[in-house]
Amino acid sequence: MVNRREFIKKSGAGIGFFAIPNSVRFIFSDEYISKRPPMSERKFTSVAVEKTIKAIKKSIADEELAWMFENCFPNTLDTTVKFYRKNNKPYTYVITGDIDAMWLRDSSAQVYPYLSLANEDEKLKNLLKGVINKQVECVLLDPYANAFFDNSDKISEWKDDSTQMRPGIHERKWEIDSLCYVMRLSYNYWKITGDSSIFDSDWKKAMLLILQTFKEQQRKDSKGRYKFQRSNGNPLDTQFAGGYGNPTKKVGLIHSMFRPSDDATFYPFLISSNMFAVVSLRETAEIFYEIFKDENTAAQFKNLAEEVDEAIQKYAVLNHPTAGKIYALEIDGFGNALFMDDANVPNLLSIPYLGYRSKEDEIYKNTRKFSLSKANPWFSEGKFVKGIGGPHIGEHKIWPLGLIMQALTTDDNEEIVSCLKMLKATHAGTGFIHESFDVDNPKDFTRSWFAWANTLFGELILYLHKTKPDILKRKF
């Protein structure tokens, strides 16, 4: 078993890339044969998903894009899920792909696009309930961990990290967004299906633990019980100051020791993740009010959301020398800030996708221009593509997650088409979406099996099919 960064080092190149962005043709074939596993080897099948694949493929004029959708959209179900029942409840363990561990963030994002089909397929609905139940189990085990095993007997390669590791934990990097993704999946499952049966006593305990953890990581009275250091020599894998991170002025924001990329934060107030927390806390407040009729607890979630939101607006909106008034990615409350954006979601680019602000918000529009420009130190442009990368992989690499999110956060048809062209031109002949690739050589990619990126690409196509079907009638 390898972790993300080790897998990047060991992963091979793509299986061939012989074209330019606007027209990709494979020397070995003009036909696009499905890259899905044989039916007998698929981990899970859904009638609703299969029906959707067939319907949407027919609406996509570009044969290659349709082929990519067919490969990518069901990839999570085909290859990463393990469904079972325990204590009369469904549970679903969801691995990321090439790593046999369940990230709270990835597992939520991997199944999120299937929510819209849950009412058409009871089997799929139970699978989604199982993901929520499994996530609740993980949160109750340790709200500070980001990745878990299904078998508590497994020994993590990170067992010697300087933090409180427990059986069943793969990695214990404290990332605000991990818990937000759990809240987001539960809320949207309920809103889409109307099924409140997931809100049992365990779910309620997990949400109260999340609230407690967020408050603890405001660190108003102490540094809290979480700290983390790793001795593998990679500065992105460890934290400053004995594992507590750089000092901060306590302004009401929540500290996050790591980003959604699993890289260490430089300044502990990670703004995009605090924005995500604002949205998720408000959504969870609604559940406590509507389902539990618990106005007092609902108010606690809502009040924390308001406090964090106020602090974001007061401390994180800063003047950039070229971009003007924008959101900084990280701050410390003393006036120091990190002006950059990372492709992993939540990032600044994803603000309207998360539901924090609209696409038309002026500060967001400035921030978006910054994120997608060379003013952002992790924006790269090469022969085949331009987009956002991040420190996790290094310079001259971009993440397709960033291209997909760019398309999901604009109403400009030509910008969306440009993103689709780049995604189509850079799968390196595999028919799947990768973690990252070199801007001048797309066959130099990382992670040939990365289900989050595959399913998010599927989510983009579903979104376009519903909101901008004419785009899918084009050939690129």
Side-chain angles (χ1 to χ4, degrees):
M1 182 182 63
V2 293
N3 77 333
R4 296 181 184 216
R5 192 165 279 107
E6 285 304 311
F7 186 85
I8 290 163
K9 292 177 183 177
K10 296 175 182 177
S11 62
I15 61 173
F17 185 87
F18 307 100
I20 60 175
N22 289 337
S23 178
V24 176
R25 288 289 180 180
F26 302 138
I27 289 175
F28 52 83
S29 177
D30 283 332
E31 296 181 359
Y32 300 104
I33 300 169
S34 173
K35 294 295 187 73
R36 298 178 65 184
M39 186 69 72
S40 62
E41 296 178 16
R42 294 175 191 174
K43 302 294 185 182
F44 187 91
T45 56
S46 160
V47 173
V49 169
E50 298 303 322
K51 181 180 176 182
T52 299
I53 292 169
K54 289 180 181 178
I56 292 184
K57 271 191 72 180
K58 291 179 181 178
S59 73
I60 303 174
D62 190 288
E63 188 179 3
E64 187 175 350
L65 195 69
W67 173 66
M68 291 174 66
F69 173 73
E70 179 186 16
N71 295 332
C72 293
F73 180 55
N75 185 246
T76 287
L77 300 182
D78 284 352
T79 66
T80 71
V81 299
K82 174 188 172 185
F83 179 77
Y84 57 95
R85 299 193 72 88
K86 182 174 68 174
N87 301 326
N88 295 318
K89 289 167 61 173
Y91 284 81
T92 310
Y93 178 65
V94 187
I95 64 173
T96 67
D98 46 62
I99 307 169
D100 184 10
M102 178 168 170
W103 266 256
L104 295 178
R105 169 184 52 255
D106 293 41
S107 61
S108 293
Q110 283 169 242
V111 302
Y112 188 81
Y114 305 135
L115 288 177
S116 63
L117 305 175
N119 289 326
E120 302 174 30
D121 186 341
E122 193 68 21
K123 184 181 172 185
L124 178 64
K125 189 176 178 180
N126 278 323
L127 178 110
L128 294 166
K129 289 173 69 172
V131 177
I132 294 168
N133 289 334
K134 186 63 182 177
Q135 290 180 340
V136 163
E137 182 179 78
C138 292
V139 171
L140 291 175
L141 175 61
D142 187 350
Y144 284 108
N146 58 322
F148 300 81
F149 294 128
D150 196 36
N151 182 352
S152 60
D153 292 333
K154 280 189 177 181
I155 305 299
S156 172
E157 63 187 303
W158 306 121
K159 61 183 175 59
D160 295 325
D161 285 348
S162 181
T163 192
Q164 189 180 353
M165 293 291 287
R166 297 173 183 169
I169 294 174
H170 169 68
E171 190 172 52
R172 194 172 189 255
K173 288 181 172 179
W174 161 235
E175 301 162 355
I176 294 172
D177 72 282
S178 292
L179 300 183
C180 293
Y181 271 108
V182 173
M183 301 161 87
R184 178 185 191 237
L185 185 64
S186 295
Y187 177 81
N188 284 282
Y189 172 85
W190 169 56
K191 296 301 283 187
I192 290 171
T193 67
D195 178 14
S196 61
S197 65
I198 55 169
F199 304 135
D200 59 13
S201 59
D202 286 338
W203 186 91
K204 188 174 183 179
K205 287 177 187 175
M207 296 307 114
L208 293 175
L209 184 56
I210 289 173
L211 179 65
Q212 175 187 320
T213 303
F214 282 170
K215 288 182 176 180
E216 185 174 287
Q217 285 306 311
Q218 288 181 296
R219 299 188 187 177
K220 292 180 178 178
D221 301 316
S222 70
K223 290 182 178 179
R225 58 195 171 105
Y226 177 84
K227 61 180 180 177
F228 182 98
Q229 287 187 306
R230 179 175 290 170
S231 59
N232 66 345
N234 189 327
L236 291 175
D237 264 352
T238 192
Q239 262 299 349
F240 306 95
Y244 291 103
N246 269 325
T248 57
K249 181 180 179 182
K250 309 308 181 279
V251 297
L253 293 169
I254 304 166
H255 297 70
S256 188
M257 292 296 94
F258 291 89
R259 302 173 186 145
S261 60
D262 296 335
D263 291 342
T265 51
F266 188 78
Y267 296 122
F269 293 143
L270 179 57
I271 298 306
S272 54
S273 289
N274 271 267
M275 290 172 169
F276 198 3
V278 170
V279 175
S280 300
L281 286 164
R282 287 172 176 161
E283 291 174 346
T284 307
E286 183 182 338
I287 295 170
F288 272 84
Y289 183 80
E290 295 289 339
I291 303 300
F292 297 113
K293 310 301 181 185
D294 186 344
E295 295 184 21
N296 179 60
T297 304
Q300 291 183 54
F301 280 92
K302 185 177 179 181
N303 291 342
L304 180 57
E306 298 308 315
E307 181 183 8
V308 174
D309 191 18
E310 183 179 338
I312 291 170
Q313 296 304 314
K314 184 174 181 179
Y315 293 97
V317 179
L318 299 168
N319 285 311
H320 183 271
T322 60
K325 188 177 287 188
I326 66 172
Y327 291 109
L329 183 65
E330 295 174 8
I331 65 172
D332 64 0
F334 291 112
N336 297 303
L338 183 61
F339 286 112
M340 61 167 271
D341 204 9
D342 188 300
N344 283 260
V345 182
N347 58 359
L348 296 174
L349 184 63
S350 68
I351 287 171
Y353 174 80
L354 300 174
Y356 180 73
R357 289 291 187 270
S358 77
K359 297 173 187 175
E360 300 307 313
D361 180 86
E362 290 300 322
I363 299 174
Y364 171 69
K365 287 197 289 186
N366 285 347
T367 306
R368 190 176 193 277
K369 288 178 183 177
F370 161 80
S371 297
L372 297 172
S373 75
K374 291 182 179 179
N376 174 10
W378 293 103
F379 179 87
S380 296
E381 184 171 358
K383 295 177 182 178
F384 293 94
V385 69
K386 60 181 179 180
I388 304 173
H392 192 77
I393 303 300
E395 293 185 276
H396 310 300
K397 298 284 183 70
I398 74 131
W399 291 57
L401 287 176
L403 291 175
I404 297 168
M405 191 52 57
Q406 182 180 349
L408 285 168
T409 55
T410 183
D411 291 319
D412 184 329
N413 288 0
E414 296 312 310
E415 184 176 4
I416 294 169
V417 167
S418 174
C419 292
L420 290 175
K421 285 181 177 180
M422 288 188 285
L423 289 164
K424 175 185 164 183
T426 53
H427 62 82
T430 68
F432 291 101
I433 306 297
H434 304 123
E435 180 186 53
S436 73
F437 54 81
D438 189 280
V439 292
D440 293 320
N441 181 16
K443 68 180 181 181
D444 177 13
F445 61 77
T446 59
R447 300 189 69 176
S448 59
W449 181 18
F450 185 39
W452 178 14
N454 288 327
T455 313
L456 190 65
F457 173 74
E459 182 177 341
L460 170 61
I461 300 299
L462 285 181
Y463 169 77
L464 294 176
H465 178 73
K466 181 179 180 180
T467 63
K468 293 179 177 288
D470 287 347
I471 288 180
L472 297 182
K473 294 176 182 177
R474 301 192 193 185
K475 289 192 175 182
F476 307 122

